[in-house]
Amino acid sequence: MMNKLIFGRYIPGDSIIHKLDPRAKLVASFYFIGVIFIANTWQSYLFAGLFTLGCVLLSKISLGFFLRGVRPLIWLILFTVALQMFFTTGGVVYWSWWIFTLTQYGVMNGIFIFCRFILIIFMSTLLTLTTAPLELSDAIEYLLRPLKVLHFPVHEISLMLSIALRFVPTLMDETEKIMNAQRARGVDFGEGNLIQKMKAVIPLLIPLFVSSFNRAEDLATAMEARGYNGGEGRTKYRKLDWHLRDTLTIVVFAVFTVGLVLLRK
Amino acid sequence: MDIRFEQVGFTYQPNSPFETRALFDIDLEVKEGSYTALVGHTGSGKSTLLQHLNALLKPTAGLVKIGERTITPETDNKNLKPIRKKVGIVFQFPEAQLFEETVAKDIAFGPKNFGATDEEAVKLAARYLELVGLDESYLERSPFELSGGQMRRVAIAGVLAMEPEVLVLDEPTAGLDPQGRKEMMEMFWRLHKEQQMTIVLVTHLMDDVANFADYVYVLEKGRVIKCGTPQTVFEDVGWVEEKQIGVPTATAFAEKLVQKGLTFDHLPLTAEELADQLVAMGGLSHDE
């Protein structure tokens, strides 16, 4: 079950993308998501597609991996695309039945939305596949720092984030263990009707919650015992380094934006 | 009910970058009524192997015969419940699986999943709670207000209440105090002796292997590197030490005596055997 979850996973590697500063990657991929909405012609989507493909190839991770990342979302994408296709009016009408119409603009919009989805998923998968979770949380902490002026608890949020990320695999293991233990006691997960399925989750959820509470208590005690008392006056062990290649990444994305704007109609 | 492994291999997450091979060509047999021990280092594949015993995992190569049923890589996940009823597994730190409001309900959960009526299940709960050494005043308590050791007992009672033919124990005494460890192991021994229950024990404690098991499999890196009776496995003390799986305390002590010039007619594995042999020698008669 867990094996199929590609989204949000990290694959260690030593490609240029892996080596980039996580801040650069995070900013770049958010920027990409915003900027992709500029594209409105097939030329611009082709350009964006090639650009994304270039980034993916640079990461040296097989393309199949990204495609598998798309798979769980495919129904959502197709649903949205279908809505766009059949309910947008304008241009030449190809086909019409009851409240559904298939028009020139509708088809175009549908295809664009499909491309947008795929590109955004590829880019964000690229981010998570090439960036270790802890790097990501460091980057988020750094980028949120200006919010301190507004008394936003940046340190607490980033601490929670890194603890949460650290415990995702542990919790996954735990889930699997408890599932196995309950299956050995005769529970069928994912079988029967909806109500039976929901009932089968209880013997999994309660032990998970209980063990999370216990774990939180142990962790808090261990942290206090090691002298943790809040964010004030702490130093950092992991320091982020901004290199020339990170600046270059930002420049490349700026050039990409210019390209998109030029290809716009 | 016999369990047989024929050339079993298992790979985690096949055809992905996370692919790891955990078992290679395992041939193994758990005979009805036997007490089999599985030993090996952490990561040697013991836990993966034991999940094959009740089809929680299916082999990716070879086949597993559990009683009448044969599990191959192609077997589908339907209809495995009868196997799980016959092969009960007590996982490591089983207290993590408790979830019901009362101890009674939690123990009754397994039997009910396998079709017992409420009445039968409650009876089973009372019987097995007593068997693991807690009195019936615990029946109506919440499992979460018990101590760690008591929770462990309740969890084990929950598996025993399914009345399995084969009981698989994955380090059942890890983290228990010496007294609790002894009581627990003796309880399993009684089940084995009195009810002819087949037991598979995964452990790091060689004293338990020497005291209870009648057959041992030694695993290393997903392969069976030695198997036989405890006597034959521990015979080559040098080999056992080289593999760092540990020697029973009595055997280690006997080895020291051998170095001092004593000879034993066969290698003692338990304190009793050692004592018997020393007595048979007619006291310590070697020249000081």
Side-chain angles (χ1 to χ4, degrees):
Chain A
M1 179 190 80
M2 316 273 173
N3 305 349
K4 286 177 198 139
L5 217 65
I6 301 299
F7 199 71
R9 258 183 115 154
Y10 169 61
I11 304 179
D14 61 347
S15 71
I16 174 100
I17 306 261
H18 280 91
K19 281 192 204 128
L20 282 179
D21 190 290
R23 286 168 295 182
K25 279 190 273 188
L26 191 65
V27 169
S29 43
F30 271 99
Y31 180 75
F32 180 84
I33 291 172
V35 127
I36 194 72
F37 289 93
I38 293 179
N40 69 348
T41 57
W42 68 266
Q43 293 97 333
S44 56
Y45 275 105
L46 186 68
F47 178 57
L50 287 175
F51 180 77
T52 313
L53 192 69
C55 293
V56 167
L57 289 180
L58 274 180
S59 76
K60 293 183 189 157
I61 296 173
S62 82
L63 208 58
F65 236 93
F66 290 83
L67 291 175
R68 250 178 283 168
V70 174
R71 209 189 292 159
L73 295 170
I74 196 72
W75 293 111
L76 180 74
I77 298 173
L78 289 182
F79 179 69
T80 322
V81 169
L83 278 187
Q84 280 290 331
M85 277 202 172
F86 293 115
F87 292 105
T88 310
T89 48
V92 187
V93 176
Y94 298 125
W95 177 81
S96 143
W97 175 73
W98 195 34
I99 53 169
F100 303 102
T101 46
L102 196 62
T103 64
Q104 187 188 355
Y105 286 178
V107 170
M108 222 166 64
N109 261 338
I111 292 172
F112 285 174
I113 283 192
F114 182 76
C115 293
R116 229 175 261 167
F117 260 117
I118 300 287
L119 292 180
I120 289 175
I121 291 170
F122 265 48
M123 222 23 142
S124 42
T125 309
L126 181 67
L127 174 74
T128 55
L129 284 182
T130 59
T131 318
L134 275 180
E135 282 185 318
L136 262 187
S137 81
D138 281 346
I140 291 172
E141 177 175 16
Y142 182 89
L143 295 170
L144 286 182
R145 231 154 50 178
L147 289 180
K148 252 189 192 154
V149 188
L150 303 171
H151 297 291
F152 184 79
V154 175
H155 169 76
E156 281 76 8
I157 297 285
S158 80
L159 179 75
M160 272 160 54
L161 198 66
S162 41
I163 291 178
L165 287 171
R166 156 68 187 78
F167 279 102
V168 168
T170 316
L171 263 175
M172 289 260 228
D173 282 353
E174 180 112 17
T175 312
E176 192 128 357
K177 264 187 207 150
I178 298 175
M179 258 176 114
N180 275 339
Q182 306 297 27
R183 276 160 72 198
R185 292 213 282 167
V187 179
D188 287 320
F189 289 102
E191 274 176 37
N193 61 34
L194 194 65
I195 294 181
Q196 284 169 324
K197 270 186 199 167
M198 287 196 322
K199 269 194 176 156
V201 174
I202 297 173
L204 176 63
L205 272 189
I206 293 179
L208 263 183
F209 269 108
V210 171
S211 88
S212 304
F213 283 132
N214 291 337
R215 183 163 290 147
E217 204 173 321
D218 289 348
L219 183 67
T221 315
M223 280 171 74
E224 277 192 338
R226 295 169 78 181
Y228 176 83
N229 47 17
E232 286 312 306
R234 285 179 67 80
T235 52
K236 281 183 83 69
Y237 174 64
R238 289 187 311 271
K239 287 217 166 69
L240 299 170
D241 285 325
W242 189 272
H243 293 277
L244 180 66
R245 53 172 182 255
D246 303 309
T247 318
L248 281 178
T249 311
I250 301 297
V251 173
V252 167
F253 272 79
V255 172
F256 168 68
T257 319
V258 174
L260 275 188
V261 171
L262 289 179
L263 289 170
R264 228 177 116 90
K265 222 174 5 199
Chain B
M1 194 181 66
D2 293 346
I3 300 180
R4 258 205 6 245
F5 282 46
E6 283 172 24
Q7 293 289 304
V8 168
F10 185 77
T11 309
Y12 280 104
Q13 311 197 17
N15 310 318
S16 83
F18 307 103
E19 182 176 298
T20 35
R21 189 92 193 259
L23 296 179
F24 301 84
D25 309 326
I26 301 270
D27 284 312
L28 177 144
E29 190 170 20
V30 177
K31 285 214 183 70
E32 185 167 325
S34 67
Y35 199 128
T36 309
L38 293 177
V39 300
H41 291 286
T42 325
S44 58
K46 299 181 303 259
S47 298
T48 310
L49 193 151
L50 77 85
Q51 289 180 47
H52 283 82
L53 293 170
N54 73 348
L56 283 174
L57 293 178
K58 288 177 296 179
T60 46
L63 58 90
V64 179
K65 276 189 183 151
I66 307 173
E68 303 287 287
R69 291 285 294 271
T70 303
I71 310 290
T72 62
E74 288 79 36
T75 307
D76 67 3
N77 287 323
K78 296 254 152 40
N79 224 343
L80 296 174
K81 252 188 172 181
I83 294 180
R84 308 222 166 113
K85 157 107 183 67
K86 283 183 187 156
V87 185
I89 300 192
V90 176
F91 283 92
Q92 237 173 72
F93 300 105
E95 51 273 30
Q97 74 195 32
L98 303 176
F99 72 100
E100 284 278 16
E101 300 138 61
T102 65
V103 167
K105 277 190 191 172
D106 205 290
I107 301 178
F109 178 70
K112 277 209 291 211
N113 281 329
F114 292 115
T117 63
D118 286 358
E119 227 170 67
E120 289 164 358
V122 168
K123 261 190 210 147
L124 285 170
R127 183 184 328 149
Y128 283 97
L129 190 69
E130 200 195 308
L131 190 75
V132 296
L134 296 175
D135 63 68
E136 59 187 26
S137 68
Y138 286 93
L139 274 176
E140 289 312 311
R141 287 174 65 178
S142 157
F144 297 110
E145 55 186 41
L146 304 179
S147 76
Q150 289 168 336
M151 282 168 87
R152 174 82 54 97
R153 285 159 198 266
V154 172
I156 291 176
V159 176
L160 291 177
M162 292 158 29
E163 307 201 298
E165 290 174 29
V166 180
L167 183 65
V168 182
L169 304 161
D170 190 357
E171 297 192 40
T173 59
L176 286 188
D177 57 279
Q179 177 67 25
R181 192 177 295 169
K182 191 160 170 274
E183 283 174 18
M184 204 71 92
M185 289 314 292
E186 278 169 0
M187 180 198 72
F188 295 132
W189 179 245
R190 276 202 310 277
L191 284 172
H192 172 65
K193 274 286 136 194
E194 290 162 15
Q195 301 178 25
Q196 282 75 49
M197 190 180 265
T198 313
I199 291 187
V200 179
L201 173 72
V202 172
T203 186
H204 290 292
L205 303 171
M206 294 308 140
D207 282 351
D208 284 348
V209 176
N211 284 332
F212 303 114
D214 44 37
Y215 210 77
V216 191
Y217 286 90
V218 183
L219 269 82
E220 189 183 71
K221 292 180 185 149
R223 289 190 167 85
V224 174
I225 51 168
K226 197 161 196 165
C227 62
T229 61
Q231 197 72 41
T232 52
V233 168
F234 292 120
E235 206 150 51
D236 190 353
V237 178
W239 181 86
V240 174
E241 270 165 0
E242 181 201 312
K243 292 289 176 194
Q244 297 188 342
I245 43 178
V247 199
T249 329
T251 314
F253 189 68
E255 268 298 297
K256 284 202 177 125
L257 292 178
V258 168
Q259 280 164 22
K260 292 270 178 200
L262 241 66
T263 44
F264 292 93
D265 38 310
H266 72 276
L267 192 71
L269 295 180
T270 64
E272 279 97 55
E273 273 180 321
L274 178 64
D276 285 350
Q277 290 205 38
L278 288 175
V279 170
M281 281 172 201
L284 299 166
S285 61
H286 75 292
D287 35 301
E288 286 293 326

Short mmCIF file of all heavy atoms in Angstrom, two decimals, chain B residues 171-214:
data_model
loop_
_atom_site.label_atom_id
_atom_site.label_comp_id
_atom_site.label_asym_id
_atom_site.label_seq_id
_atom_site.Cartn_x
_atom_site.Cartn_y
_atom_site.Cartn_z
N GLU B 171 10.28 -12.60 19.71
CA GLU B 171 10.88 -12.05 20.94
C GLU B 171 9.83 -11.68 21.96
O GLU B 171 9.67 -10.51 22.32
CB GLU B 171 11.73 -10.84 20.58
CG GLU B 171 12.89 -11.23 19.70
CD GLU B 171 13.89 -10.11 19.57
OE1 GLU B 171 14.14 -9.46 20.59
OE2 GLU B 171 14.39 -9.90 18.48
N PRO B 172 9.12 -12.68 22.46
CA PRO B 172 7.98 -12.38 23.34
C PRO B 172 8.38 -11.78 24.67
O PRO B 172 7.55 -11.16 25.32
CB PRO B 172 7.33 -13.75 23.53
CG PRO B 172 8.44 -14.72 23.32
CD PRO B 172 9.33 -14.12 22.29
N THR B 173 9.64 -11.93 25.06
CA THR B 173 10.01 -11.45 26.41
C THR B 173 10.91 -10.22 26.36
O THR B 173 11.43 -9.80 27.39
CB THR B 173 10.73 -12.55 27.20
OG1 THR B 173 11.90 -12.94 26.48
CG2 THR B 173 9.84 -13.75 27.41
N ALA B 174 11.08 -9.62 25.16
CA ALA B 174 11.94 -8.44 25.06
C ALA B 174 11.41 -7.34 25.96
O ALA B 174 10.22 -7.03 25.95
CB ALA B 174 12.01 -7.96 23.62
N GLY B 175 12.28 -6.77 26.78
CA GLY B 175 11.88 -5.65 27.63
C GLY B 175 11.13 -6.04 28.90
O GLY B 175 10.59 -5.19 29.57
N LEU B 176 11.08 -7.34 29.20
CA LEU B 176 10.41 -7.76 30.45
C LEU B 176 11.47 -7.99 31.53
O LEU B 176 12.63 -8.27 31.23
CB LEU B 176 9.63 -9.05 30.23
CG LEU B 176 8.32 -8.99 29.45
CD1 LEU B 176 7.63 -10.34 29.53
CD2 LEU B 176 7.40 -7.91 30.00
N ASP B 177 11.03 -7.92 32.79
CA ASP B 177 11.96 -8.20 33.88
C ASP B 177 12.21 -9.70 33.96
O ASP B 177 11.43 -10.50 33.41
CB ASP B 177 11.40 -7.67 35.20
CG ASP B 177 10.05 -8.27 35.50
OD1 ASP B 177 9.05 -7.77 34.92
OD2 ASP B 177 9.98 -9.25 36.25
N PRO B 178 13.29 -10.13 34.64
CA PRO B 178 13.65 -11.56 34.65
C PRO B 178 12.51 -12.46 35.12
O PRO B 178 12.29 -13.53 34.55
CB PRO B 178 14.82 -11.61 35.63
CG PRO B 178 15.39 -10.25 35.64
CD PRO B 178 14.26 -9.30 35.36
N GLN B 179 11.78 -11.99 36.14
CA GLN B 179 10.67 -12.80 36.65
C GLN B 179 9.60 -12.99 35.57
O GLN B 179 9.18 -14.11 35.28
CB GLN B 179 10.08 -12.08 37.87
CG GLN B 179 8.87 -12.75 38.49
CD GLN B 179 9.23 -14.09 39.11
OE1 GLN B 179 10.38 -14.30 39.49
NE2 GLN B 179 8.26 -14.99 39.18
N GLY B 180 9.19 -11.88 34.95
CA GLY B 180 8.16 -11.94 33.91
C GLY B 180 8.61 -12.79 32.75
O GLY B 180 7.83 -13.55 32.17
N ARG B 181 9.89 -12.67 32.40
CA ARG B 181 10.44 -13.44 31.30
C ARG B 181 10.31 -14.94 31.57
O ARG B 181 9.86 -15.70 30.73
CB ARG B 181 11.91 -13.05 31.14
CG ARG B 181 12.54 -13.53 29.89
CD ARG B 181 13.96 -13.04 29.81
NE ARG B 181 14.03 -11.58 29.70
CZ ARG B 181 15.17 -10.89 29.84
NH1 ARG B 181 16.29 -11.52 30.10
NH2 ARG B 181 15.16 -9.59 29.72
N LYS B 182 10.66 -15.30 32.81
CA LYS B 182 10.64 -16.71 33.18
C LYS B 182 9.21 -17.24 33.15
O LYS B 182 8.93 -18.29 32.55
CB LYS B 182 11.23 -16.84 34.59
CG LYS B 182 11.53 -18.26 35.02
CD LYS B 182 12.53 -18.26 36.16
CE LYS B 182 12.64 -19.64 36.76
NZ LYS B 182 11.63 -19.91 37.81
N GLU B 183 8.30 -16.48 33.77
CA GLU B 183 6.90 -16.92 33.80
C GLU B 183 6.34 -17.10 32.39
O GLU B 183 5.69 -18.10 32.08
CB GLU B 183 6.04 -15.86 34.52
CG GLU B 183 6.17 -15.91 36.03
CD GLU B 183 5.41 -14.75 36.66
OE1 GLU B 183 4.53 -14.16 35.99
OE2 GLU B 183 5.71 -14.42 37.81
N MET B 184 6.66 -16.13 31.54
CA MET B 184 6.14 -16.16 30.18
C MET B 184 6.65 -17.38 29.43
O MET B 184 5.90 -18.12 28.80
CB MET B 184 6.61 -14.88 29.49
CG MET B 184 5.75 -14.45 28.35
SD MET B 184 4.19 -13.84 28.95
CE MET B 184 4.53 -12.13 29.11
N MET B 185 7.96 -17.61 29.50
CA MET B 185 8.54 -18.73 28.76
C MET B 185 8.01 -20.05 29.30
O MET B 185 7.78 -20.99 28.53
CB MET B 185 10.08 -18.70 28.85
CG MET B 185 10.73 -17.58 28.06
SD MET B 185 10.11 -17.35 26.40
CE MET B 185 10.66 -18.83 25.59
N GLU B 186 7.80 -20.11 30.61
CA GLU B 186 7.27 -21.36 31.18
C GLU B 186 5.83 -21.60 30.76
O GLU B 186 5.42 -22.74 30.55
CB GLU B 186 7.42 -21.35 32.70
CG GLU B 186 8.83 -21.75 33.09
CD GLU B 186 9.13 -21.52 34.55
OE1 GLU B 186 8.23 -21.04 35.28
OE2 GLU B 186 10.27 -21.81 34.95
N MET B 187 5.08 -20.49 30.60
CA MET B 187 3.70 -20.64 30.14
C MET B 187 3.66 -21.21 28.72
O MET B 187 2.90 -22.12 28.41
CB MET B 187 3.00 -19.29 30.17
CG MET B 187 1.58 -19.38 29.71
SD MET B 187 0.96 -17.78 29.26
CE MET B 187 1.81 -17.47 27.76
N PHE B 188 4.53 -20.69 27.85
CA PHE B 188 4.57 -21.21 26.48
C PHE B 188 4.99 -22.68 26.49
O PHE B 188 4.48 -23.49 25.72
CB PHE B 188 5.54 -20.40 25.62
CG PHE B 188 5.12 -18.98 25.41
CD1 PHE B 188 6.01 -17.93 25.59
CD2 PHE B 188 3.81 -18.69 25.04
CE1 PHE B 188 5.61 -16.62 25.40
CE2 PHE B 188 3.41 -17.38 24.85
CZ PHE B 188 4.31 -16.34 25.04
N TRP B 189 5.91 -23.00 27.38
CA TRP B 189 6.38 -24.37 27.48
C TRP B 189 5.24 -25.30 27.89
O TRP B 189 5.08 -26.40 27.34
CB TRP B 189 7.54 -24.44 28.48
CG TRP B 189 8.11 -25.81 28.69
CD1 TRP B 189 8.08 -26.55 29.83
CD2 TRP B 189 8.79 -26.60 27.71
NE1 TRP B 189 8.70 -27.75 29.63
CE2 TRP B 189 9.14 -27.82 28.34
CE3 TRP B 189 9.13 -26.42 26.38
CZ2 TRP B 189 9.82 -28.83 27.69
CZ3 TRP B 189 9.81 -27.44 25.72
CH2 TRP B 189 10.14 -28.62 26.37
N ARG B 190 4.42 -24.84 28.84
CA ARG B 190 3.27 -25.65 29.27
C ARG B 190 2.30 -25.87 28.12
O ARG B 190 1.81 -26.97 27.90
CB ARG B 190 2.56 -24.98 30.45
CG ARG B 190 3.18 -25.29 31.80
CD ARG B 190 2.15 -25.08 32.92
NE ARG B 190 1.48 -23.79 32.82
CZ ARG B 190 1.99 -22.64 33.28
NH1 ARG B 190 3.17 -22.64 33.86
NH2 ARG B 190 1.33 -21.51 33.14
N LEU B 191 2.03 -24.78 27.36
CA LEU B 191 1.13 -24.93 26.20
C LEU B 191 1.68 -25.97 25.23
O LEU B 191 0.95 -26.77 24.67
CB LEU B 191 0.99 -23.60 25.47
CG LEU B 191 0.09 -22.56 26.12
CD1 LEU B 191 0.21 -21.24 25.39
CD2 LEU B 191 -1.35 -23.04 26.11
N HIS B 192 2.99 -25.92 25.06
CA HIS B 192 3.64 -26.84 24.13
C HIS B 192 3.54 -28.27 24.64
O HIS B 192 3.19 -29.19 23.90
CB HIS B 192 5.10 -26.42 23.98
CG HIS B 192 5.94 -27.38 23.21
ND1 HIS B 192 5.71 -27.63 21.87
CD2 HIS B 192 7.00 -28.16 23.58
CE1 HIS B 192 6.61 -28.52 21.45
NE2 HIS B 192 7.38 -28.85 22.46
N LYS B 193 3.80 -28.47 25.92
CA LYS B 193 3.81 -29.81 26.49
C LYS B 193 2.40 -30.38 26.66
O LYS B 193 2.12 -31.50 26.29
CB LYS B 193 4.51 -29.78 27.87
CG LYS B 193 6.00 -29.92 27.80
CD LYS B 193 6.42 -31.35 27.48
CE LYS B 193 7.52 -31.29 26.46
NZ LYS B 193 7.89 -32.46 25.77
N GLU B 194 1.51 -29.54 27.25
CA GLU B 194 0.20 -30.07 27.62
C GLU B 194 -0.78 -30.11 26.47
O GLU B 194 -1.63 -30.97 26.39
CB GLU B 194 -0.37 -29.25 28.80
CG GLU B 194 0.38 -29.49 30.10
CD GLU B 194 0.11 -28.39 31.13
OE1 GLU B 194 -0.85 -27.64 30.93
OE2 GLU B 194 0.86 -28.33 32.12
N GLN B 195 -0.70 -29.10 25.58
CA GLN B 195 -1.66 -29.07 24.48
C GLN B 195 -1.02 -29.37 23.14
O GLN B 195 -1.61 -29.14 22.09
CB GLN B 195 -2.36 -27.71 24.45
CG GLN B 195 -3.08 -27.40 25.74
CD GLN B 195 -3.72 -26.02 25.70
OE1 GLN B 195 -4.02 -25.50 24.64
NE2 GLN B 195 -3.94 -25.44 26.86
N GLN B 196 0.22 -29.83 23.19
CA GLN B 196 0.96 -30.17 21.96
C GLN B 196 0.94 -29.02 20.94
O GLN B 196 0.86 -29.22 19.74
CB GLN B 196 0.40 -31.44 21.29
CG GLN B 196 0.85 -32.73 21.95
CD GLN B 196 0.12 -32.96 23.26
OE1 GLN B 196 -1.10 -32.85 23.31
NE2 GLN B 196 0.86 -33.24 24.32
N MET B 197 0.98 -27.80 21.47
CA MET B 197 0.97 -26.67 20.56
C MET B 197 2.32 -26.56 19.86
O MET B 197 3.37 -26.69 20.46
CB MET B 197 0.68 -25.39 21.34
CG MET B 197 0.41 -24.19 20.47
SD MET B 197 0.07 -22.76 21.49
CE MET B 197 -1.69 -22.79 21.53
N THR B 198 2.26 -26.32 18.53
CA THR B 198 3.49 -26.11 17.77
C THR B 198 3.96 -24.69 18.03
O THR B 198 3.16 -23.75 17.95
CB THR B 198 3.21 -26.27 16.27
OG1 THR B 198 2.44 -27.45 16.09
CG2 THR B 198 4.48 -26.33 15.48
N ILE B 199 5.24 -24.53 18.35
CA ILE B 199 5.70 -23.18 18.67
C ILE B 199 6.91 -22.82 17.80
O ILE B 199 7.80 -23.64 17.57
CB ILE B 199 6.05 -23.05 20.17
CG1 ILE B 199 4.75 -23.13 20.97
CG2 ILE B 199 6.79 -21.75 20.45
CD1 ILE B 199 4.88 -22.86 22.43
N VAL B 200 6.87 -21.61 17.26
CA VAL B 200 8.02 -21.07 16.55
C VAL B 200 8.48 -19.85 17.33
O VAL B 200 7.70 -18.93 17.55
CB VAL B 200 7.66 -20.65 15.11
CG1 VAL B 200 8.88 -20.08 14.41
CG2 VAL B 200 7.09 -21.83 14.34
N LEU B 201 9.72 -19.87 17.77
CA LEU B 201 10.21 -18.79 18.61
C LEU B 201 11.35 -18.06 17.92
O LEU B 201 12.33 -18.68 17.50
CB LEU B 201 10.70 -19.38 19.95
CG LEU B 201 11.40 -18.43 20.90
CD1 LEU B 201 10.43 -17.46 21.54
CD2 LEU B 201 12.15 -19.21 21.97
N VAL B 202 11.21 -16.75 17.80
CA VAL B 202 12.31 -15.93 17.29
C VAL B 202 12.95 -15.27 18.49
O VAL B 202 12.25 -14.65 19.30
CB VAL B 202 11.79 -14.84 16.34
CG1 VAL B 202 12.90 -13.88 15.98
CG2 VAL B 202 11.20 -15.48 15.11
N THR B 203 14.24 -15.42 18.66
CA THR B 203 14.85 -14.91 19.88
C THR B 203 16.33 -14.61 19.70
O THR B 203 16.98 -15.08 18.76
CB THR B 203 14.67 -15.91 21.04
OG1 THR B 203 15.15 -15.31 22.23
CG2 THR B 203 15.43 -17.19 20.79
N HIS B 204 16.83 -13.76 20.62
CA HIS B 204 18.27 -13.54 20.70
C HIS B 204 18.86 -14.23 21.91
O HIS B 204 20.06 -14.16 22.14
CB HIS B 204 18.56 -12.04 20.82
CG HIS B 204 18.27 -11.28 19.57
ND1 HIS B 204 19.02 -11.44 18.43
CD2 HIS B 204 17.34 -10.37 19.26
CE1 HIS B 204 18.55 -10.65 17.48
NE2 HIS B 204 17.52 -9.99 17.96
N LEU B 205 17.99 -14.84 22.71
CA LEU B 205 18.45 -15.43 23.96
C LEU B 205 18.72 -16.91 23.76
O LEU B 205 17.80 -17.72 23.64
CB LEU B 205 17.38 -15.24 25.05
CG LEU B 205 16.98 -13.79 25.30
CD1 LEU B 205 15.77 -13.72 26.22
CD2 LEU B 205 18.14 -13.01 25.89
N MET B 206 20.00 -17.26 23.74
CA MET B 206 20.36 -18.65 23.45
C MET B 206 19.98 -19.58 24.59
O MET B 206 19.79 -20.77 24.38
CB MET B 206 21.85 -18.76 23.15
CG MET B 206 22.24 -18.04 21.89
SD MET B 206 21.21 -18.51 20.50
CE MET B 206 20.97 -16.95 19.71
N ASP B 207 19.86 -19.02 25.79
CA ASP B 207 19.43 -19.86 26.91
C ASP B 207 18.03 -20.39 26.67
O ASP B 207 17.73 -21.54 26.96
CB ASP B 207 19.48 -19.08 28.23
CG ASP B 207 20.91 -18.99 28.75
OD1 ASP B 207 21.77 -19.68 28.16
OD2 ASP B 207 21.15 -18.23 29.69
N ASP B 208 17.16 -19.52 26.10
CA ASP B 208 15.80 -19.97 25.78
C ASP B 208 15.83 -21.05 24.71
O ASP B 208 15.08 -22.03 24.77
CB ASP B 208 14.94 -18.79 25.29
CG ASP B 208 14.51 -17.91 26.45
OD1 ASP B 208 14.68 -18.35 27.60
OD2 ASP B 208 14.02 -16.80 26.18
N VAL B 209 16.71 -20.87 23.73
CA VAL B 209 16.83 -21.88 22.67
C VAL B 209 17.25 -23.21 23.28
O VAL B 209 16.65 -24.26 23.03
CB VAL B 209 17.86 -21.44 21.61
CG1 VAL B 209 18.05 -22.53 20.57
CG2 VAL B 209 17.44 -20.13 20.96
N ALA B 210 18.27 -23.15 24.16
CA ALA B 210 18.79 -24.38 24.76
C ALA B 210 17.75 -25.03 25.67
O ALA B 210 17.61 -26.25 25.68
CB ALA B 210 20.05 -24.05 25.56
N ASN B 211 17.01 -24.21 26.41
CA ASN B 211 16.06 -24.76 27.37
C ASN B 211 14.82 -25.36 26.72
O ASN B 211 14.26 -26.31 27.23
CB ASN B 211 15.61 -23.66 28.34
CG ASN B 211 16.67 -23.36 29.37
OD1 ASN B 211 17.47 -24.23 29.71
ND2 ASN B 211 16.71 -22.14 29.85
N PHE B 212 14.37 -24.76 25.62
CA PHE B 212 13.05 -25.14 25.12
C PHE B 212 13.04 -25.76 23.72
O PHE B 212 12.30 -26.70 23.49
CB PHE B 212 12.13 -23.91 25.12
CG PHE B 212 11.98 -23.26 26.47
CD1 PHE B 212 12.47 -21.99 26.71
CD2 PHE B 212 11.37 -23.95 27.52
CE1 PHE B 212 12.34 -21.41 27.97
CE2 PHE B 212 11.22 -23.37 28.77
CZ PHE B 212 11.72 -22.10 29.00
N ALA B 213 13.83 -25.22 22.81
CA ALA B 213 13.66 -25.59 21.40
C ALA B 213 14.11 -27.02 21.14
O ALA B 213 15.01 -27.53 21.80
CB ALA B 213 14.42 -24.62 20.52
N ASP B 214 13.45 -27.68 20.18
CA ASP B 214 13.98 -28.96 19.75
C ASP B 214 14.59 -28.87 18.34
O ASP B 214 15.17 -29.84 17.86
CB ASP B 214 12.95 -30.09 19.86
CG ASP B 214 11.59 -29.69 19.34
OD1 ASP B 214 11.56 -28.96 18.35
OD2 ASP B 214 10.58 -30.11 19.94
#
